[in-house]
Amino acid sequence: DLTNKTTLCDGRLWVKGRRVGITAEQITENIRVLISDYSNNVAVQSDTHDKAKSTLLSKIIDTYIKRPEWMRENFYSSNGKVPRASLELIDITVRTDDNYPLGGTARAFPSTPKSCDGEEFMLVTMDELSKWAEASPYETYEINKKTIVNPGKRGKLDALSTTGDSKEAQKAVLDWHKLIANSNPKVLNENGYTNSGLWAFFVSYIHSLELWEKYPQIKDKYGKINREMAEEYIWKEIKMHPKDSKEYIYALYKMPMEIRHALLTPTTHTYFSKIRITNRLDELRMLPN
């Protein structure tokens, strides 16, 4: 809500553990944006086009059409079938009264830099951002950021991912680190934005449904997590692998308890720490001449 109301913010960057529910939140946010005004279009992307359709678009459609009629607008359905390729809030007949449909659409796009170029959206979701193997996530993000500028109103962009853990995703992980480094809301440039335009948020694995199901005792009857107990169980699973091995680092990628765990590097690679140098440069820039 804060970022939606902050003019000098283009959206959110979610660094997260596995199964913490951010994708489900994103489905709800897409529906909220879609029905909040006329001609509000939303777009979803993932590391593959098929995954964008199955994990995001299909769930947006299924969630929306199961709402009671008084909680949703009319939508286009061919011969009464459930829409699959897109969700369009339109009528196929000409209206003669003032009760026009909202006209917004929800669509999935391929994971290529220019697939959304020239379009106008009020929300763009880029899922699994650090796992894109066939396109540069940062380049795609830079193009997508231009699509949220609409006549008279601005949209938002959400980039979300656990850290990629495959050889094919190495370049995407570098882009991911760069985007995180440029999205610190505590460090703003002269225009009042972060360098990327996004605000970064971290969601710890202690809030993962996967962890709750394995160890229900970490959560009390009010839903409050015992952090110390949860982290003890997580470390036991991570320490099954040799310390600082590739498998150890990848386990921390999936089950991060702090943001630094999502930024670690397997010992077989030598990534330059963009986070540290960016933060240090920002500190130096704020010093007197």
Side-chain angles (χ1 to χ4, degrees):
D1 193 45
L2 172 65
T3 54
N4 280 333
K5 291 176 179 176
T6 301
T7 306
L8 300 179
C9 173
D10 290 326
R12 285 79 44 171
L13 175 77
W14 297 99
V15 184
K16 63 189 185 70
R18 193 168 53 183
R19 299 288 183 270
V20 297
I22 295 295
T23 303
E25 293 275 3
Q26 205 57 34
I27 289 164
T28 303
E29 179 68 359
N30 271 273
I31 293 173
R32 184 196 69 78
V33 171
L34 187 65
I35 63 175
S36 62
D37 200 1
Y38 287 97
S39 301
N40 272 13
N41 300 319
V42 300
V44 296
Q45 287 178 304
S46 190
D47 55 327
T48 67
H49 192 198
D50 286 341
K51 191 182 286 188
K53 289 189 284 188
S54 63
T55 62
L56 288 165
L57 181 63
S58 291
K59 292 178 181 179
I60 289 169
I61 293 171
D62 292 342
T63 303
Y64 182 80
I65 65 176
K66 287 175 183 175
R67 285 184 162 205
E69 287 191 20
W70 55 270
M71 283 186 66
R72 58 170 165 79
E73 277 281 323
N74 291 341
F75 59 92
Y76 174 68
S77 171
S78 176
N79 298 320
K81 295 179 182 177
V82 174
R84 293 268 59 103
S86 65
L87 177 61
E88 302 174 52
L89 306 189
I90 60 173
D91 282 335
I92 58 172
T93 56
V94 176
R95 302 300 296 258
T96 56
D97 54 22
D98 291 332
N99 188 24
Y100 297 109
L102 285 176
T105 62
R107 289 178 287 165
F109 288 84
S111 313
T112 56
K114 294 189 177 181
S115 61
C116 295
D117 195 19
E119 302 274 358
E120 292 178 353
F121 301 106
M122 285 302 292
L123 181 63
V124 176
T125 301
M126 299 178 68
D127 196 15
E128 302 286 19
L129 196 71
S130 69
K131 301 176 183 178
W132 290 27
E134 298 177 2
S136 164
Y138 207 97
E139 182 185 351
T140 309
Y141 158 73
E142 290 285 357
I143 294 173
N144 285 352
K145 193 165 68 168
K146 298 170 185 173
T147 69
I148 60 174
V149 181
N150 298 268
K153 54 186 180 182
R154 285 182 71 96
K156 300 289 180 182
L157 185 146
D158 277 293
L160 48 147
S161 189
T162 52
T163 299
D165 56 0
S166 69
K167 185 178 179 181
E168 293 76 17
Q170 285 181 26
K171 290 180 71 175
V173 171
L174 283 173
D175 278 6
W176 181 235
H177 286 192
K178 180 181 176 183
L179 198 56
I180 295 169
N182 290 337
S183 303
N184 185 352
K186 295 179 180 178
V187 181
L188 305 177
N189 58 31
E190 292 179 357
N191 292 326
Y193 284 91
T194 62
N195 288 339
S196 71
L198 303 179
W199 288 12
F201 294 92
F202 173 70
V203 185
S204 170
Y205 184 73
I206 69 167
H207 300 294
S208 171
L209 180 64
E210 187 177 65
L211 189 67
W212 299 351
E213 288 177 342
K214 283 184 188 174
Y215 310 107
Q217 62 270 30
I218 67 171
K219 187 171 63 166
D220 65 19
K221 63 181 181 179
Y222 303 108
K224 187 173 177 60
I225 303 295
N226 184 323
R227 175 178 286 274
E228 190 175 319
M229 187 188 296
E231 290 185 353
E232 183 181 345
Y233 285 119
I234 295 168
W235 278 116
K236 282 179 182 176
E237 293 199 21
I238 293 169
K239 288 177 180 177
M240 291 169 61
H241 308 288
K243 185 168 172 39
D244 293 334
S245 66
K246 187 184 290 186
E247 292 76 17
Y248 181 94
I249 301 298
Y250 286 170
L252 276 168
Y253 281 175
K254 295 171 184 173
M255 300 181 281
M257 291 153 280
E258 302 174 35
I259 194 168
R260 64 189 178 91
H261 296 149
L263 301 170
L264 292 170
T265 311
T267 50
T268 52
H269 301 93
T270 52
Y271 292 163
F272 188 70
S273 179
K274 291 180 181 295
I275 306 296
R276 288 194 187 93
I277 193 64
T278 303
N279 289 342
R280 184 61 182 143
L281 281 172
D282 288 329
E283 290 171 8
L284 292 172
R285 288 189 188 107
M286 287 187 284
L287 294 172
N289 290 334

